[in-house]
Amino acid sequence: MTHHQPLLYSPSAGGASCDFSCPATNVQQGPAPPQRAAAAGVCHSFACAVLDAVREQIAVLGADGTILAVNGAWRQVAATRSRPGRPTLATDIGRNYLTLCREAVGLGAEGAAEAEVGISAVLAGERDQFQMEYPCHTPTEQRWFRMAVSPMAYGWPGAVVAHEDITERYQAEADLRVAATAFESNEGMMVTDSRGIILKVNQAFTRITGYPMDEAVGRTPRMLSSGRHDAEFYRAMWAEIGEHGSWSGEIWNRRKNGEVYPEYLSITSVRDGSGRICNYVAALTDVTQSKAASDEIRSLAFYDPLTGLPNRRLLLERLRQVLDASKLHDRYGALMFIDLDNFKTLNDTLGHSVGDLLLQQVAERLQECLRQGDTVARLGGDEFVVLLEGLGCNEPAAAAQAEQLGSKILAGLNRPYLLGSHLCHSTPSMGATLFQGGWPAHPEELLMQADIAMYQAKQAGRNGMRFFDQKMQDKISTRARLEEALRRAIAEQRFALYYQPQVDEQGQVVGAEALIRWPQADGSLMSPARFIPVAEEASLILPIGQWVMDTACAQLRQWQDQPHMAQLVMAVNVSAAQIHQRDFFEQVQALIRRHGVDPSRLKLELTEGLLLENIEQIIVTMERLRKIGVHFSLDDFGTGYSSLQYLRRLPLSQLKIDRSFVNELASNSNDQAIVTTIIAMSRSLGLDVIAEGVESFEQRGLLEQLGCHRYQGFLFSQAVPAEQLQQWLAARQPPLGLI
């Protein structure tokens, strides 16, 4: 047997004639009289007619399991499932059914073994009946059958086997089980009739609403109404159900205990065979927690948690709406950017908790100052923004209104603050910009203009208000373009090093300072005074400093191989960002080793500003570098805030007198006194001293008289490329400054 046929039998294709033989004709009882023979014929014909009309597939088995007769349904199934190449027999009569069960293989083998045991028990008289259900699937469909085996009546030996196709019933029962399982899901379910009378609810419905089934059945869903939705809401709902057959959405309902809660509701209409609505099925989910979570998420996404004010994201969204709306009328609006003066100092001295109290009180005062419809937002830190609308139709009047409100805000924020036990004062710097007719087009641009104006207020002395100046905008735009170009130059290494000689009192070149230049497309050189501050503000100074150090060491190695330049000392400027790196010593040491330079010929120039932070770490780094031979010079001495206590601890070899003291040295007695003090201090500390910015013989002479014997400046040479400096020294020209 195979799984391609109903389990437990293997019928062949049969002929058209009735093959159901009356069991009586198979019993050896001798010749029958004519009357009895006629009766037997009637019995045979009647039995064939009755059993061929039965839908079940029936076979009669002898006492040993041999198939004695089959009906029409048996033959019909056998004909539809006959296989090519198999001999076509009139019936399966004569084959042993138990043998067929024992020979079954494949997917039906287990069921066939069960059937053999059951049929054998019935044939042996051990069981009154045997039944079983079994699958009989094909590659294209799934089917199930029921087999019933009963003993022959009236003492006749054998049994009757009936196979019934129960596929439709099985699938219907499976569908009912799935539907029942689905109905008792975690989602509340409610079924009503066409009039809206509740017929059935599930346990989840009871859990959500509080109404058990016996209290819900017979009533209408109106018992859940919260009163928050008007009649128009329900009319629209039922109109959509009538048109599309379903509706879904969020709705407010009321539990049995009176609590109003949000739920997600889905209603679907059910139609009968004639197309008429017979039922409505509603599925409902309690979304109290998810709605609370979504509200909290929205609050976190659009509002500042400290002050409760709109945050940057919500402000920008509001600005877009206001700018779009301003295209439709000619009234001006204004945006104010507010920054608290010296807020960091208060935070650092009194603590962040006190700072938070100040920010909360500032938020409250700003809201008190505004008109109805104005918006105040907190961008972060101590930065607030105020959005004003409907200021007027001409610019002077709008500016006057904005200034008037700005003055009110200034007065409000200047009042003393009681922050816990601290009575504090805080002042704001405010910048304002006007907009009209959808211009500027982008919220970010409008915000930037107000920010620029705020910085103008800071520069003007703080605690004031300034309007946006287009010249300031142009300056900011120029800086942004410079920063972008600087990034490209760093990536493509477009810089060049120039070298300015350092000479002694005899005019002999004793060293050179490496100075970076930025060649431009037109052949000019951009001074570091223009781009270095931008590099520092944009955190680009590190890659620039690394490139300078690497290029300078490579050049120093070339000088060491040339007799007329081997004794030169290379001076390289080091930024604060560089020396504050924890691995700065390792970086310099690696460059010295890679290029093979004499570390005693390398001098690193530091500015006094470097000594303001992490002085102990800087001293450790300098000591390590000094031990391998590197020298240090303190640049721009006298212009910073050096502490003499630290100065004597620094492993310096030289102080450099700033050019600002050299410029008017010949005419300014104060500068002469300062230079004299610096030189005396250098001597007491055992340090060399060099002056920069020397441009005249008079300056040089005065410096020499005061005790300074190292010079650098245009009097001797401007910074030149390495090749030019090398050619110049190779020609053994007279000492610089003496020609």
Side-chain angles (χ1 to χ4, degrees):
M1 295 194 338
T2 69
H3 67 280
H4 297 296
Q5 300 174 355
L7 182 65
L8 312 179
Y9 70 92
S10 180
S12 304
S17 61
C18 176
D19 288 320
F20 193 92
S21 302
C22 180
T25 62
N26 294 316
V27 181
Q28 302 296 327
Q29 295 181 338
Q35 295 86 353
R36 188 172 182 180
V42 172
C43 175
H44 178 272
S45 298
F46 181 75
C48 287
V50 171
L51 293 177
D52 280 350
V54 176
R55 294 174 54 189
E56 289 80 0
Q57 304 151 38
I58 298 176
V60 178
L61 307 183
D64 62 350
T66 301
I67 299 175
L68 302 179
V70 297
N71 72 341
W74 184 290
R75 294 191 305 276
Q76 183 179 5
V77 171
T80 59
R81 296 182 179 272
S82 60
R83 291 172 295 184
R86 175 177 175 175
T88 301
L89 304 176
T91 67
D92 278 324
I93 296 174
R95 305 182 71 183
N96 190 287
Y97 200 89
L98 297 178
T99 301
L100 294 175
C101 289
R102 285 191 292 272
E103 295 176 351
V105 295
L107 298 178
E110 183 178 348
E114 180 184 352
E116 180 191 3
V117 173
I119 295 171
S120 297
V122 172
L123 291 174
E126 298 173 357
R127 296 183 62 168
D128 293 337
Q129 192 177 40
F130 170 72
Q131 294 184 9
M132 67 177 293
E133 294 181 359
Y134 58 92
C136 186
H137 304 325
T138 70
T140 58
E141 62 179 345
Q142 291 187 329
R143 299 182 67 187
W144 286 264
F145 287 84
R146 174 180 175 273
M147 181 177 71
V149 182
S150 302
M152 294 285 285
Y154 305 112
W156 288 98
V160 176
V161 179
H163 294 271
E164 178 185 4
D165 189 335
I166 60 171
T167 300
E168 291 185 6
R169 190 204 78 192
Y170 192 91
Q171 291 177 339
E173 290 176 351
D175 291 343
L176 286 175
R177 287 193 296 271
V178 172
T181 302
F183 191 76
E184 289 300 339
S185 65
N186 290 328
E187 190 176 35
M189 301 292 294
M190 174 175 59
V191 179
T192 75
D193 62 14
S194 59
R195 299 170 300 163
I197 305 298
I198 299 174
L199 303 177
K200 188 175 183 180
V201 298
N202 67 354
Q203 291 296 320
F205 175 92
T206 300
R207 185 179 68 253
I208 294 172
T209 67
Y211 289 97
M213 181 180 293
D214 58 348
E215 294 184 16
V217 172
R219 301 178 67 179
T220 69
R222 283 192 293 274
M223 68 182 185
L224 303 174
S225 177
S226 66
R228 291 196 178 186
H229 304 286
D230 56 18
E232 180 58 33
F233 174 85
Y234 292 105
R235 277 197 295 270
M237 173 197 294
W238 286 106
E240 185 169 341
I241 294 173
E243 182 177 357
H244 302 289
S246 64
W247 177 90
S248 61
E250 193 172 289
I251 189 173
W252 289 91
N253 270 343
R254 188 183 302 275
R255 306 187 207 272
K256 181 181 177 181
N257 63 8
E259 178 188 354
V260 175
Y261 69 99
E263 73 176 24
Y264 188 82
L265 177 65
S266 175
I267 303 176
T268 303
S269 60
V270 181
R271 297 181 181 272
D272 60 19
S274 63
R276 292 178 299 180
I277 293 177
C278 56
N279 297 98
Y280 293 100
V281 177
L284 52 101
T285 304
D286 187 344
V287 295
T288 302
Q289 294 183 350
S290 61
K291 183 172 179 62
S294 65
D295 290 345
E296 183 178 358
I297 290 172
R298 187 181 187 280
S299 177
L300 291 174
F302 292 103
Y303 291 89
D304 171 49
L306 179 64
T307 63
L309 297 177
N311 61 11
R312 183 186 187 93
R313 182 176 180 181
L314 185 56
L315 173 67
L316 291 176
E317 183 176 314
R318 176 66 176 152
L319 275 176
R320 291 187 187 94
Q321 297 172 355
V322 171
L323 287 174
D324 288 341
S326 70
K327 299 175 184 177
L328 306 177
H329 56 75
D330 58 355
R331 300 183 69 85
Y332 278 86
L335 191 72
M336 294 180 175
F337 198 108
I338 303 171
D339 183 270
L340 302 182
D341 300 328
N342 302 315
F343 177 75
K344 184 177 185 300
T345 302
L346 181 144
N347 236 2
D348 293 342
T349 55
L350 299 181
H352 290 282
S353 59
V354 175
D356 288 346
L357 287 175
L358 174 61
L359 294 174
Q360 290 171 336
Q361 293 189 27
V362 167
E364 293 173 0
R365 295 187 186 186
L366 285 173
Q367 290 174 302
E368 294 171 358
C369 293
L370 299 184
R371 309 167 305 166
Q372 184 71 27
D374 293 338
T375 301
V376 57
R378 181 188 176 211
L379 297 190
D382 60 331
E383 296 177 340
F384 296 85
V385 170
V386 171
L387 173 62
L388 310 175
E389 298 181 70
L391 294 181
C393 298
N394 65 80
E395 187 174 20
Q401 291 183 61
E403 188 171 16
Q404 181 180 6
L405 184 58
S407 299
K408 183 179 180 182
I409 292 174
L410 281 170
L413 299 187
N414 268 270
R415 299 199 315 268
Y417 296 87
L418 183 60
L419 308 176
S421 60
H422 303 281
L423 184 64
C424 303
H425 294 269
S426 177
T427 60
S429 292
M430 301 171 54
T433 185
L434 300 178
F435 61 90
Q436 181 202 37
W439 185 262
H442 303 291
E444 293 82 357
E445 184 177 355
L446 191 64
L447 197 60
M448 181 181 64
Q449 290 180 356
D451 190 16
I452 292 172
M454 183 273 294
Y455 274 105
Q456 288 181 298
K458 291 273 190 188
Q459 294 172 356
R462 305 174 187 268
N463 196 24
M465 175 177 166
R466 290 290 184 274
F467 279 90
F468 173 70
D469 181 4
Q470 185 59 44
K471 293 181 180 179
M472 178 63 72
Q473 171 67 69
D474 294 341
K475 183 178 179 181
I476 295 297
S477 299
T478 300
R479 184 201 175 281
R481 289 193 296 270
L482 178 59
E483 179 181 331
E484 180 59 29
L486 189 57
R487 292 181 185 277
R488 292 196 301 270
I490 292 172
E492 300 171 7
Q493 295 189 353
R494 296 182 184 175
F495 302 105
L497 278 190
Y498 277 45
Y499 303 90
Q500 187 171 33
Q502 296 177 339
V503 304
D504 60 14
E505 68 273 16
Q506 302 299 323
Q508 297 292 336
V509 177
V510 294
E513 180 180 2
L515 298 171
I516 189 172
R517 297 292 185 267
W518 184 3
Q520 301 298 295
D522 60 1
S524 63
L525 297 175
M526 184 181 293
S527 167
R530 280 194 59 193
F531 66 85
I532 289 299
V534 175
E536 290 175 338
E537 293 174 10
S539 300
L540 299 174
I541 197 64
L542 274 180
I544 293 177
Q546 291 165 356
W547 178 87
V548 169
M549 184 73 72
D550 184 43
T551 306
C553 285
Q555 185 60 61
L556 183 59
R557 182 69 183 91
Q558 292 183 20
W559 289 351
Q560 289 180 185
D561 295 335
Q562 302 175 33
H564 62 286
M565 304 192 74
Q567 301 305 311
L568 295 184
V569 173
M570 176 74 77
V572 181
N573 289 284
V574 175
S575 68
Q578 285 178 277
I579 200 167
H580 284 149
Q581 296 178 100
R582 293 194 175 275
D583 64 340
F584 181 68
F585 167 77
E586 288 77 13
Q587 292 181 31
V588 176
Q589 186 180 48
L591 287 174
I592 290 173
R593 290 175 177 173
R594 179 154 61 89
H595 292 290
V597 300
D598 180 357
S600 66
R601 298 298 171 186
L602 179 62
K603 180 172 63 178
L604 302 183
E605 293 195 357
L606 312 178
T607 60
E608 287 188 86
L610 297 180
L611 308 180
L612 296 178
E613 297 181 10
N614 298 326
I615 182 64
E616 298 297 336
Q617 178 188 335
I618 292 175
I619 291 174
V620 170
T621 300
M622 292 175 65
E623 287 286 2
R624 296 180 68 188
L625 287 169
R626 187 186 65 169
K627 288 180 181 179
I628 66 173
V630 177
H631 296 285
F632 290 93
S633 174
L634 192 59
D635 197 6
D636 302 333
F637 187 75
T639 62
Y641 306 94
S642 297
S643 167
L644 295 180
Q645 178 182 359
Y646 289 128
L647 188 61
R648 63 184 179 81
R649 294 178 55 197
L650 295 173
L652 298 170
S653 60
Q654 185 182 72
L655 293 182
K656 178 179 278 191
I657 302 173
D658 187 70
R659 66 177 65 248
S660 61
F661 302 126
V662 177
N663 288 340
E664 300 181 9
L665 185 63
S667 59
N668 191 314
S669 59
N670 289 332
D671 286 345
Q672 292 179 16
I674 292 174
V675 170
T676 300
T677 302
I678 293 174
I679 294 173
M681 185 184 300
S682 300
R683 288 175 179 170
S684 65
L685 295 174
L687 303 178
D688 186 19
V689 64
I690 184 173
E692 66 176 354
V694 180
E695 298 182 355
S696 70
F697 285 104
E698 186 177 11
Q699 291 171 344
R700 178 187 178 281
L702 283 172
L703 287 168
E704 185 175 5
Q705 290 176 15
L706 295 174
C708 177
H709 306 295
R710 295 285 187 272
Y711 320 104
Q712 178 180 340
F714 285 177
L715 175 62
F716 311 100
S717 173
Q718 61 181 356
V720 295
E723 296 81 1
Q724 184 175 335
L725 181 61
Q726 292 171 198
Q727 293 171 5
W728 187 25
L729 294 179
R732 296 183 179 277
Q733 292 194 13
L736 298 179
L738 299 180
I739 56 176

